[in-house]
Amino acid sequence: MAVETFATRGYHHSSLAEIAERAGLTQAGLLHHFRSKTALLSGVLELRDDSEMRQLGPERPRGLAFLDHLVETVRRNTEREGIVRLYAVLSAESVTEGHPAQDFFRARYRGLRALVVEALREACDLGETRPDTDVEAVANAIIAVMDGLQVQWLLAPEAVDMAATTRRTVDALLTGLRTG
């Protein structure tokens, strides 16, 4: 219920009373589990990211196989509109001064960027891409495309194939960088 409420109304326009009611709880009951609206928001965001990391497993794909994993994640996201909406709304809101999810999203982007950069460096080491690849720039572009496509897809799902466009973009970014 919190995911749906935060996703459709944003953090600032959601109330604990509304979330509690939708969950079949009293506000006091909800506060028994989460000491504040900020704690509830943190719990929702962390739960989703924890489940994604568990799904990835202890051995993530290496090199360009990790980029294939990202494309598959994008495809799975088309089956999870609520989660996609939650992240699109809250990540955009988090750029405002004092937003309670700002530190979460800064850390999330820093971590995602590090994973993509590491995979691209592995691709260089494995001989999948040229050693002079600007891995930071390519990583930033991949993440930007993924996030931008989410917003477009939420606004016009019939017009945007997120997975196919992500695949095309990754392939285009890697054109000329592949070895062989």
Side-chain angles (χ1 to χ4, degrees):
M1 303 309 154
V3 169
E4 293 171 22
T5 305
F6 287 139
T8 57
R9 300 178 55 74
Y11 176 80
H12 292 295
H13 293 101
S14 296
S15 73
L16 283 176
E18 177 185 5
I19 294 167
E21 182 180 325
R22 292 178 80 176
L25 299 169
T26 63
Q27 188 168 338
L30 182 62
L31 287 170
H32 173 74
H33 298 286
F34 298 94
R35 69 186 186 286
S36 67
K37 186 169 130 181
T38 301
L40 176 60
L41 175 64
S42 295
V44 165
L45 293 172
E46 289 168 12
L47 176 67
R48 192 283 183 161
D49 267 9
D50 288 348
S51 68
E52 282 292 312
M53 292 308 286
R54 275 192 309 278
Q55 198 171 47
L56 185 55
E59 279 301 312
R60 71 161 175 78
R62 301 288 177 212
L64 296 183
F66 184 72
L67 302 185
D68 295 336
H69 164 76
L70 291 179
V71 173
E72 176 57 21
T73 299
V74 170
R75 189 206 57 74
R76 276 195 328 270
N77 281 347
T78 63
E79 300 165 0
R80 306 182 295 192
E81 182 181 340
I83 292 295
V84 172
R85 185 178 312 282
L86 174 76
Y87 270 70
V89 168
L90 293 178
S91 65
E93 276 188 350
S94 76
V95 303
T96 60
E97 186 177 328
H99 194 280
Q102 192 172 79
D103 289 341
F104 172 86
F105 280 102
R106 279 192 174 129
R108 184 173 193 281
Y109 279 112
R110 189 171 39 252
L112 179 57
R113 234 184 336 271
L115 281 172
V116 178
V117 164
E118 182 179 358
L120 289 166
R121 284 191 178 127
E122 291 165 356
C124 293
D125 293 344
L126 293 168
E128 296 174 326
T129 60
R130 292 191 338 237
D132 63 339
T133 300
D134 185 347
V135 294
E136 286 86 5
V138 174
N140 286 335
I142 290 169
I143 294 166
V145 165
M146 290 171 63
D147 282 3
L149 285 171
Q150 286 182 0
V151 172
Q152 292 181 58
W153 176 74
L154 287 166
L155 294 171
E158 71 287 345
V160 178
D161 184 336
M162 287 196 302
T165 304
T166 301
R167 172 85 277 155
R168 258 186 243 104
T169 302
V170 167
D171 289 347
L173 287 167
L174 294 175
T175 297
L177 298 177
R178 292 187 193 267
T179 58

